[in-house]
Each structure stands twice: as structure tokens, then as C-alpha cells.
Amino acid sequence: MNSPPSAPVLRFAPSPNGLLHLGHAYSALYTWAAADRLGGVALLRIEDIDTERCKPEFVDAIFRDLHWLGLDWPEPVMQQSDRFGIYAEAASRLRDNGLLYPCFCSRSEIAAAATGTDPDGAPLYPGTCRHMSNAERIERLERGDPVQFRLDSEAAILRAGMLTYTVVGPTVTDRPQVRYARPERWGDVVLQRKDMPTSYHLSVVVDDADQGITHVTRGRDMEAATDIHVLLQMLLGLPSPIYHFHRLLLDDQGHKLSKSRGSKSLADLRADGWTPEEVRRAAGI
Ligand code: GLU
């Protein structure tokens, strides 16, 4: 017997390392509107693996701002800082398959040896530690040298073969299109950072699968990262959602809104007397 098609599940996944601004409001409102159009549900996920930069008061502010915008979500809210053990388990599956290796390079060594840049403009790691002997690896791990674990991208790509993913657009109900993933342009990405047993890429694919996400809606600036996400989905045996990339809100100089460029927070706008309706209008939703 065929199981009935499951209802669409979307998500909004902010990081509580600051206050939400109009760009976040756009992405959140967009995601809830897309869930409505698809007859599905939108979940909230708090992406707080970076326990140094993420703060509980910013989590509270996310709840407050989204409720103020009139958005609601099913409880409990997934919070990544509760799930480090789950990410570590996914990483050890990759390690057991010979796809992760320890890297002891410092940031300056990586910058000096970089062979180019990745799609985000970060130095492309030349794979120095990929060639380290097992004996040296063990010695350095036992010595307690600071270590991060990287994906052996050549081995991983060989294992995964040619990868595609599905994109819908310009609207979320449009016809699906197939895109080719190009994970080689990212090189040996870090999957377990020095200070934590995971990374953005690893956590996001594990969580999207665990939450049964069918449609990932996110800004166009994150489209290139899909290369890594579909590779990890294939290696970990996880389903690949449908992707949809929305436009970005830009400031007067054409830059993406961001706190570091002085974009006003939703809390500031509220204090200035803005209503949720005005936020919706400013975001064009
Ligand atoms: N947590 C990420 C951010 O706040 C977004 C995650 C995602 O859409 O995968 O930028």
C-alpha cells in the first residue's frame, strides 16, 4: 500500500547571535506565506551551535519578534545546542567510512597555503593534513593539539557520484527544475570545528532530515551551500528536500541587510512605532 504524500514542512532557522532585522522578517514572513500556499506548516529552528556568539536573550527576542509579526509554530522548537551528540554521531559515521580527517592547521597557515577561494570567498583549503601519516595523526590527537575535522572531498565526491537537487522558482509553487551540485568548488570543508563537534553544514542537513523538512526556503546568498548539503545528504543516507531561494532585501548601497552594516533591528523599528503591517509592507509581503 502506498503511504499518502506527506504535507509540506518548511522551516525558518535563525541564529540567535543578534537581534532580527528586516531581512530576517522578510525570510520568516516569506516562509510562512510559502507554507500557506503549499498547504503545509512552517517550523522554527534555533541554530545556536556557536555557543560563544549565541545568547539566550536573543532566543527570547526571536520568539518575541516573530510573535509580534503574527507568526506561530508548533512546539517544541528544535534548538541545535541540545543536539551536539546527534551531530557527533553523524560525523563519526563519516569518519568510520574514511571520509573525515583531522586537520591541525591554524587559520594563518590556511590563509598562506590557500589555492583560491570558495563560493563564500573564504580561503580554499589545499588539503595539507589530508596527506598526514596515521602515526602523526594519532600522536597529535593524543597530545591534545587543537583539531578540526574536514571532509575528504575527493573521496566523498567519488563515493557520491554525480549529484543533482531540485529547485522551485520563481515562486514556491512553480515547476521543479533539476540543478547539478558542484561540491568540488568548496574543497575539504570543516564538518567539526575546533570548538564544537559539528559545523553549520553538518547540523543543517541532519536537522532538516530529523524535522522532515520537505522544502527549504532561504536567501539566494545561500544557494551555493546546497552543493555541500546534497553531498552530505547522499553520504549520510538522508532525503534531499526541494530548495527555493528567495530574493534578498538590500540597503541603499545595494548591500544585504545586516547588523554589522547598521541595519535596524525589528526591536528598534517597534520602538520607533512601526506596526507589523508596516514591516510586512516594507518587506514587500
Ligand atoms: N542559521 C542560518 C542563518 O541564520 C540559516 C540557516 C539555513 O537556512 O540553512 O543565516
Side-chain angles (χ1 to χ4, degrees):
M1 202 173 78
N2 288 336
S3 47
S6 52
V9 184
L10 289 75
R11 90 298 198 276
F12 176 59
S15 295
N17 53 15
L19 294 170
L20 301 186
H21 52 62
L22 207 51
H24 296 111
Y26 174 76
S27 193
L29 291 165
Y30 192 98
T31 299
W32 264 259
D36 270 354
R37 274 185 85 161
L38 292 166
V41 64
L43 308 182
L44 177 62
R45 178 166 80 226
I46 301 295
E47 299 212 326
D48 59 346
I49 54 172
D50 192 337
T51 49
E52 287 280 297
R53 295 176 60 222
C54 294
K55 305 266 180 269
E57 57 268 32
F58 293 134
V59 178
D60 293 341
I62 288 171
F63 295 154
R64 200 165 45 243
D65 288 343
L66 296 181
H67 280 314
W68 177 66
L69 288 174
L71 303 178
D72 242 312
W73 49 87
E75 299 284 347
V77 170
M78 181 179 277
Q79 191 149 343
Q80 291 188 324
S81 55
D82 295 335
R83 294 170 49 80
F84 284 123
I86 294 168
Y87 309 136
E89 195 273 326
S92 62
R93 272 199 281 148
L94 296 174
R95 192 164 332 128
D96 292 347
N97 282 310
L99 297 173
L100 281 197
Y101 65 87
C103 168
F104 302 95
C105 292
S106 65
R107 205 181 278 263
S108 53
E109 283 168 336
I110 296 166
T115 51
T117 51
D118 70 18
D120 279 350
L124 202 54
Y125 183 65
T128 320
C129 288
R130 197 195 310 148
H131 310 293
M132 188 179 280
S133 72
N134 229 13
E136 190 183 350
R137 279 181 182 160
I138 292 169
E139 189 191 314
R140 297 192 66 168
L141 287 169
E142 284 185 345
R143 199 162 67 200
D145 284 0
V147 62
Q148 50 194 348
F149 285 85
R150 291 181 179 272
L151 182 70
D152 181 337
S153 58
E154 266 175 42
I157 290 167
L158 215 60
R159 183 88 47 104
M162 185 107 134
L163 289 171
T164 58
Y165 58 96
T166 304
V167 172
V168 289
T171 80
V172 81
T173 47
D174 280 323
R175 203 165 52 84
Q177 301 152 33
V178 173
R179 296 261 167 92
Y180 293 100
R182 287 182 285 151
E184 61 285 352
R185 58 186 174 151
W186 289 91
D188 292 355
V189 286
V190 173
L191 293 189
Q192 291 189 295
R193 286 165 46 170
K194 282 191 177 132
D195 48 347
M196 63 187 74
T198 188
S199 65
Y200 161 67
H201 296 304
L202 183 61
S203 305
V204 89
V205 297
V206 169
D207 291 348
D208 283 340
D210 281 358
Q211 290 194 294
I213 302 300
T214 59
H215 294 68
V216 169
T217 47
R218 54 161 75 120
R220 279 184 198 148
D221 55 331
M222 301 193 66
E223 178 159 7
T226 319
D227 296 333
I228 305 293
H229 299 175
V230 294
L231 176 59
L232 292 177
Q233 285 153 4
M234 173 62 90
L235 297 172
L236 291 166
L238 304 174
S240 192
I242 292 170
Y243 288 90
H244 173 73
F245 303 101
H246 61 64
R247 73 184 176 96
L248 300 173
L249 293 196
L250 304 178
D251 65 17
D252 301 342
Q253 278 100 54
H255 297 293
K256 192 187 145 188
L257 297 187
S258 76
K259 210 164 69 107
S260 55
R261 301 196 79 93
S263 305
K264 276 198 169 191
S265 67
L266 293 178
D268 288 338
L269 296 177
R270 191 160 57 235
D272 289 351
W274 282 48
T275 63
E277 209 29 65
E278 282 168 319
V279 172
R280 278 177 191 269
R281 258 203 309 277
I285 299 226

